[in-house]
Amino acid sequence: MATLFGKIAAGEIPSHRIAENEEFFAFLDINPVAEGHTLVIPKKEVDYLFDLDDGALGRMMAFSKTIARALAQAIPCKRIGLTVIGLEVPHAHIHLVPLQKESDLFFGNPKLKKTPEELAQTAAKIREKFI
């Protein structure tokens, strides 16, 4: 059965897409811990990031790097943090989070309340940085 993220990558569930290629898909988290919080997933359904073969893992990190660079240009921040948690959705994914301070990466913090329109504006701002 397809996971939530698998359905998002397949276009069955709407998302605020940032970028994609034949293997990977990046989209905004709808419960962000910071503005621009982005998820990067493989289109192939794999439960845990470290279950990916070495080649796919390397390509996913390289894809994430391009997303992080665009994100850093679009959202004022000191760094882009990266974390792998993977407990809520059984589909490998990387969180890319714009950081002002280390505690911005704490997922116990209250989530930002963003409207679909605000998320769409943020996604557009990030996508512009790929051009």
Side-chain angles (χ1 to χ4, degrees), residues 23-118:
E23 282 187 285
F24 307 107
F25 190 83
F27 58 101
L28 289 182
D29 191 311
I30 61 169
N31 294 304
V33 296
E35 183 181 0
H37 178 175
T38 299
L39 298 170
V40 177
I41 64 169
K43 290 182 177 179
K44 177 183 176 186
E45 292 197 5
V46 174
D47 180 16
Y48 182 50
L49 185 75
F50 298 119
D51 288 337
L52 289 167
D53 67 68
D54 292 349
L57 180 60
R59 291 187 302 276
M60 187 170 174
M61 290 303 293
F63 180 78
S64 296
K65 181 179 176 180
T66 65
I67 304 303
R69 285 187 170 157
L71 195 52
Q73 290 178 32
I75 307 296
C77 61
K78 292 182 179 177
R79 298 260 189 219
I80 300 298
L82 179 150
T83 188
V84 174
I85 300 171
L87 297 174
E88 291 182 358
V89 178
H91 189 125
H93 58 287
I94 293 171
H95 295 263
L96 298 175
V97 181
L99 303 175
Q100 297 302 329
K101 57 192 178 311
E102 197 172 289
S103 62
D104 290 343
L105 205 50
F106 177 59
F107 281 69
N109 288 338
K111 305 299 186 269
L112 301 180
K113 304 291 185 207
K114 297 286 186 175
T115 66
E117 293 79 17
E118 291 170 320

